[in-house]
Amino acid sequence: MSYRTPHSLPTVTLDDVRGAQKMLSGVARMTAMEGSRHLSGLVGAPVHLKCENLQRTGSFKLRGAYVRIAGLLPEERAAGVVAASAGNHAQGVALASSLLGVRSTVFMPAGAPLPKVAATREYGAEVRLHGQVVDETLAAAQEYARETGAVFIHPFDHPDIIAGQGTVGLEILEQCPEVRTLVVGVGGGGLAAGIAVAVKALRPDVKVVGVQAAGSAAYPPSLAAGHPVSIGNPTTMADGIKVGRPGDVPFQLVEELVDEVVTVSEDELSSALLLCLERAKMVVEPAGASPVAALLSDPKAFEGPVVALLSGGNVDPLLMQRILRQGMAAAGRYLSLRLRLTDRPGALATLLGVLSEVDANVLDISHVRTDPRLGLTEAEVELHLETKGPEHCTEVGTALRAAGYTVIGSLENEVSRRDVSR
């Protein structure tokens, strides 16, 4: 890779990305570019989805991992490689190592989703479960590297990794040469940095926008400070971009080449994932849906044509179930609430009749008669309802109040909580 000065951090050039593209020929797929009619209508310009969720191993991570491992010296390959990851990087390293005939060991958190652990093993890696959080897993992998001589494969903070990820940018320019704005999720920054290197070198007029989860947004304070800073206890459902500190190498490239970094909320991530599933028929993990979340958050802020990168699709089915419920709640299509009624024969049937009149679909109901908080003639009911949107949630609340019910509160939807209980 290229170097600025003997004492500076390594950087990445367009030639590096082009070299990585040649190396990946026959290894990584050129993934599809799909138009989104719904998002195009919101933005007021064409929106295309770059589907790296359909890449081998289910994410873009194979690209960087393969380039990094392929560039090792023979004696380094002989020592094997080691990585730490909760999912996508683990699978990328495992498959890349198998393709190159290199022994790989991957450390994963003890609570990593079972499908991701199984997939990593099937791709050929020895999986070791260690620690409860990724930081503990990372420390264990680095200790293993020191003890055994195995080469540690960082998920984002290395120029080879960045060059490999940058090949996505070359494909985007080939598939959508008219692009004006490119939106990409950002964790440690390797993907955004690589794409920005490729795109800005060939099309400096294209705006590159990075997206971070609000609870795990280390780049805004880092960019403000002019150097990478750590944030304490990053929290987000989007584990693919849940990184507490930018990488040193990608940071300098993001700072120089990425035009803007925006943040999205957990509700916006859930809504984006639901939209990808319903409208685009794409299974996308929360991190992969982050560019779509940014478009939903402020659709008129993006000059079209827009390309939103769906970076990965490896989502645990149980997590998907919870996220979809949150996404439906954020869209006003799922309402959970508690209310009190008089404990008498037929009272529950009467309540259900009120809900039927306003066409609210009851998904689940819990009826409590014995609780110290309740009076002798009171019962408490918890309802989970399928609704048609925020206006319908308001209609349900109005109907319940008009029927004389005391609504204690909504459990799922902040919008509905205000509408139902005020």
Side-chain angles (χ1 to χ4, degrees):
M1 290 304 163
S2 305
Y3 288 79
R4 291 177 177 172
T5 72
H7 303 291
S8 69
L9 289 169
T11 189
V12 182
T13 68
L14 176 61
D15 285 343
D16 297 326
V17 179
R18 283 177 166 159
Q21 187 177 45
K22 291 179 181 178
M23 192 178 293
L24 288 166
S25 178
V27 176
R29 299 175 180 142
M30 177 181 279
T31 50
M33 181 85 75
E34 300 286 346
S36 172
R37 190 172 178 182
H38 180 73
L39 289 173
S40 297
L42 293 177
V43 173
V47 175
H48 305 278
L49 305 175
K50 173 62 171 170
C51 303
E52 279 295 286
N53 58 311
L54 303 180
Q55 185 57 260
R56 296 177 72 178
T57 74
S59 87
F60 69 96
K61 289 288 190 177
L62 171 65
R63 297 173 183 263
Y66 188 91
V67 173
R68 174 75 174 101
I69 298 169
L72 295 178
L73 298 173
E75 57 270 26
E76 291 176 319
R77 291 195 187 195
V81 300
V82 61
S85 168
N88 289 346
H89 181 58
Q91 293 173 66
V93 168
L95 179 57
S97 299
S98 294
L99 293 173
L100 291 164
V102 177
R103 185 179 72 258
S104 64
T105 303
V106 176
F107 285 76
M108 304 182 76
L114 293 180
K116 294 185 178 182
V117 174
T120 303
R121 287 193 173 117
E122 288 173 8
Y123 286 128
E126 177 190 347
V127 175
R128 299 192 180 191
L129 301 179
H130 184 92
Q132 299 301 315
V133 297
V134 174
D135 286 345
E136 296 173 352
T137 307
L138 180 64
Q142 291 171 327
E143 178 63 25
Y144 177 88
R146 287 190 292 269
E147 291 177 352
T148 65
V151 178
F152 179 68
I153 307 299
H154 199 284
F156 51 82
D157 203 10
H158 192 281
D160 288 347
I161 295 287
I162 294 169
Q165 320 304 30
T167 59
V168 179
L170 296 179
E171 291 182 13
I172 288 172
L173 293 182
E174 180 180 343
Q175 294 171 299
C176 185
E178 68 277 15
V179 62
R180 297 292 300 170
T181 306
L182 199 160
V183 192
V184 55
V186 179
L191 177 63
I195 287 176
V197 166
V199 170
K200 289 294 187 177
L202 296 170
R203 286 282 306 281
D205 58 305
V206 174
K207 184 176 183 180
V208 179
V209 178
V211 184
Q212 292 208 288
S216 184
Y219 262 92
S222 297
L223 292 170
H227 58 83
V229 298
S230 299
I231 59 170
N233 191 30
T235 56
T236 177
M237 70 176 75
D239 58 353
I241 55 175
K242 185 180 177 181
V243 178
R245 182 186 184 278
D248 292 323
V249 180
F251 175 81
Q252 64 181 357
L253 295 168
V254 170
E255 183 180 39
E256 178 184 352
L257 300 173
V258 173
D259 296 278
E260 183 182 8
V261 176
V262 301
T263 62
V264 293
S265 69
E266 298 297 285
D267 277 353
E268 287 164 344
L269 287 169
S270 297
S271 296
L273 189 146
L274 181 62
L275 184 145
C276 287
L277 188 64
E278 286 190 326
R279 299 300 184 98
K281 313 308 176 190
M282 289 286 175
V283 176
V284 183
E285 62 191 271
S290 59
V292 174
L295 295 180
L296 293 177
S297 174
D298 191 3
K300 301 305 180 184
F302 300 89
E303 180 184 0
V306 177
V307 173
L309 175 58
L310 307 182
S311 59
N314 293 318
V315 57
D316 179 57
L318 294 177
L319 176 62
M320 170 74 87
Q321 185 179 36
R322 295 194 296 268
I323 292 172
L324 290 179
R325 191 171 82 168
Q326 182 173 338
M328 291 180 68
R333 294 168 51 192
Y334 185 96
L335 175 63
S336 294
L337 51 84
R338 290 183 296 118
L339 52 82
R340 288 184 183 175
L341 45 75
T342 302
D343 187 14
R344 57 177 174 76
L348 187 58
T350 302
L351 169 62
L352 296 177
V354 173
L355 295 172
S356 177
E357 289 175 4
V358 291
D359 203 23
N361 184 29
V362 179
L363 301 175
D364 190 25
I365 186 168
S366 174
H367 191 200
V368 179
R369 287 190 176 91
T370 55
D371 190 294
R373 298 172 299 168
L374 299 175
L376 291 176
T377 61
E378 287 184 321
E380 186 172 292
V381 174
E382 181 178 315
L383 294 162
H384 299 265
L385 310 173
E386 181 183 2
T387 51
K388 302 174 183 178
E391 292 182 359
H392 191 208
C393 289
T394 301
E395 183 183 351
V396 171
T398 300
L400 290 171
R401 292 194 301 271
Y405 293 103
T406 300
V407 179
I408 300 171
S410 168
L411 305 176
E412 295 285 346
N413 193 332
E414 290 294 333
V415 174
S416 299
R417 182 180 292 117
R418 293 193 296 270
D419 290 339
V420 172
S421 61
R422 66 186 175 192

